[in-house]
Amino acid sequence: MPTKYAIVIPDGAADEPQESLGGKTPLQAARTPEMDRIAREGVLGRSRNVPDKFVPASDVATLSLFGYDPLVYYTGRAPLEAAAMGHALGADDWAIRCNLMTIRDGLLNDFTAGHITSEEGRVLMEALQAKLGRPGVEFFPGVSYRNLLIVRGQGKPAPFDESTLTTPPHDQPDRPAADFLPRGTGAELLQELMREGTALVRDHAVNQARLAAGKAPANAIWLWGQGKAPALPKFSDLHGLKGAILSAVDLVRGVGVLAGWNRIDVPGATGYLDTDYAAKGRSGIEALKDHDLVCVHVEAPDEASHEGRCDAKVEALERIDHDIVGPLRRALEGYGDWRILISPDHATLLRTRAHDRDWVAWAMAGTGLSPSGHPYDEASARAAGGPSLERGFELMKSFLGST
């Protein structure tokens, strides 16, 4: 078995051919010699990381990538983020994602509120807690627009159940907010908090200052992604390996934390297009020294698709290739036996600005793997005749074992 492993997740990298790129996908158009080298010198395949039962999103897809069957372990998005933020959930507690976002003319205009700063977000979340918080209802600040609500069970009947339906705002860009309000058990509570919370943040001094500066206001809150605490078996118990997770996104951090991986925070990592790619590469190399497996997640390609910015997506992929994939591969080669895996979690389409459950291409290279001879992109993965994994969680065992 190889002694060192690295995984790089270019979030949402998979996409469709673009007219603006001459009929190429962003992966085909981007200059990615390092990813292409890994695909050519190793195995090139495809997987579906989101079972049909689930909405295509990073929560389900990340569980799959880390080797956990979502049909067994998935309970909701927000509990994963709660784990990353260090908030313990009791058996009867529910975590809910609380987006600070922009609604214009009744439409879901910007699910990031112009990528509001974490400092501004903290002030707004503290105001929500002061005004709307009460025993059993707690608001917590997170990173930028990504924040948290916890509803404690307190021994009472469960406030939510499987009939509770909420909608990720990033999947319905510029569509009427009223069409996607929570439904089912507990919807009244969520809608009440959304109404009252929106009225509070809309007129807050933070937003008056943002408007005066010409920035998008965080004039609404949006609650979604509810779930109870999951119970994941530790990765070390399953595979005998010590892991580390490097990500600026609480959701991805949370899956790693629940799997027993060490969370490594990288200065300059933002979870956006302006993230410090090189710092992530350096931190990943440093983490290899005392971890068996290091996972570096980069949100930038996903954010570019959500904004419909093809040029930014191509640039993000090139930066990941140059600043993260190349340095990590070269560092791994110094350990003797090694493997590296490149895989998006899911597709995020520029056409729809939303996630998609389509197949994603992955490539792995290193000890014991035979060359595919193909570059790294969606069309090559289809043509290469390599593994096609309908159950994406099976990829981890292949990566760690023999393929």
Side-chain angles (χ1 to χ4, degrees):
M1 177 180 291
T3 58
K4 295 288 183 179
Y5 301 86
I7 302 171
V8 178
I9 304 175
D11 196 298
D15 211 323
E16 301 168 326
Q18 306 295 309
E19 183 177 348
S20 63
L21 299 177
K24 296 180 179 180
T25 69
L27 272 175
Q28 289 175 311
R31 295 182 298 275
T32 55
E34 293 293 342
M35 297 187 204
D36 289 343
R37 175 175 176 171
I38 287 167
R40 287 193 174 100
E41 295 183 358
V43 180
L44 179 62
R46 302 190 305 153
S47 64
R48 288 189 74 231
N49 293 328
V50 182
D52 290 337
K53 173 182 177 180
F54 300 113
V55 173
S58 290
D59 45 12
V60 173
T62 300
L63 279 170
S64 284
L65 264 183
F66 291 2
Y68 296 93
D69 184 352
L71 292 171
V72 176
Y73 296 109
Y74 180 72
T75 64
R77 180 188 188 107
L80 305 176
E81 297 180 330
M85 296 165 66
H87 299 303
L89 298 179
D92 298 322
D93 297 344
W94 289 72
I96 302 101
R97 161 70 87 85
C98 178
N99 270 52
L100 295 170
M101 67 173 297
T102 306
I103 293 180
R104 296 187 192 275
D105 301 322
L107 305 180
L108 298 168
N109 177 252
D110 183 350
F111 68 92
T112 76
H115 286 276
I116 187 170
T117 68
S118 296
E119 293 75 18
E120 292 170 313
R122 175 176 293 276
V123 173
L124 292 177
M125 294 304 295
E126 288 174 348
L128 287 168
Q129 175 61 19
K131 182 71 172 181
L132 302 181
R134 52 188 184 266
V137 176
E138 304 169 10
F139 289 89
F140 297 97
V143 177
S144 182
Y145 62 91
R146 309 176 184 100
N147 300 281
L148 190 69
L149 167 68
I150 295 179
V151 177
R152 305 287 183 185
Q154 299 181 309
K156 300 176 182 178
F160 312 110
D161 59 28
E162 290 189 358
S163 75
T164 309
L165 299 176
T166 59
T167 301
H170 53 262
D171 280 347
Q172 306 297 337
D174 293 323
R175 300 189 67 183
D179 291 351
F180 301 101
L181 295 174
R183 305 187 303 280
T185 302
E188 298 85 354
L189 172 62
L190 295 179
Q191 290 192 29
E192 173 191 343
L193 292 172
M194 289 169 69
R195 284 193 303 271
E196 295 181 359
T198 292
L200 188 154
V201 300
R202 183 178 56 222
D203 300 324
H204 196 280
V206 163
N207 280 314
Q208 300 308 311
R210 288 183 65 81
L211 286 168
K215 299 177 181 179
N219 63 4
I221 69 168
W222 193 265
L223 301 176
W224 63 285
Q226 71 283 349
K228 302 179 76 173
L232 299 187
K234 298 302 182 187
F235 193 86
S236 58
D237 293 338
L238 295 173
H239 304 292
L241 299 173
K242 178 184 178 183
I245 178 67
L246 290 75
S247 175
V249 177
D250 276 333
L251 161 65
V252 179
R253 289 171 175 164
V255 180
V257 167
L258 289 168
W261 292 358
N262 292 327
R263 167 181 166 172
I264 297 176
D265 295 337
V266 180
T270 65
Y272 187 54
L273 295 164
D274 63 354
T275 197
D276 191 333
Y277 299 88
K280 282 199 167 183
R282 292 192 299 269
S283 296
I285 291 170
E286 185 66 23
L288 280 172
K289 294 178 180 178
D290 53 4
H291 293 85
D292 304 305
L293 181 148
V294 171
C295 178
V296 181
H297 167 266
V298 188
E299 181 77 357
D302 184 70
E303 294 288 346
S305 276
H306 285 311
E307 295 183 5
R309 296 175 57 190
C310 186
D311 57 340
K313 187 165 189 176
V314 170
E315 180 183 354
L317 291 170
E318 292 178 348
R319 293 293 303 278
I320 292 168
D321 189 77
H322 182 271
D323 294 343
I324 299 174
V325 176
L328 269 176
R329 177 191 58 77
R330 290 188 288 272
L332 283 166
E333 290 176 344
Y335 286 99
D337 291 340
W338 59 275
R339 283 190 184 180
I340 187 170
L341 170 67
I342 314 297
S343 179
D345 46 357
H346 52 68
T348 309
L349 306 184
L350 286 157
R351 173 176 55 84
T352 63
R353 294 166 52 198
H355 296 163
D356 191 87
R357 67 174 70 254
D358 197 8
W359 293 79
V360 299
W362 52 261
M364 68 172 80
T367 305
L369 299 176
S370 300
S372 76
H374 292 266
Y376 180 60
D377 59 66
E378 300 89 347
S380 295
R382 289 192 295 271
S388 291
L389 303 176
E390 180 72 33
R391 302 192 300 176
F393 68 91
E394 295 176 342
L395 175 59
M396 179 60 75
K397 287 185 178 179
S398 296
F399 175 54
L400 300 179
S402 58
T403 301

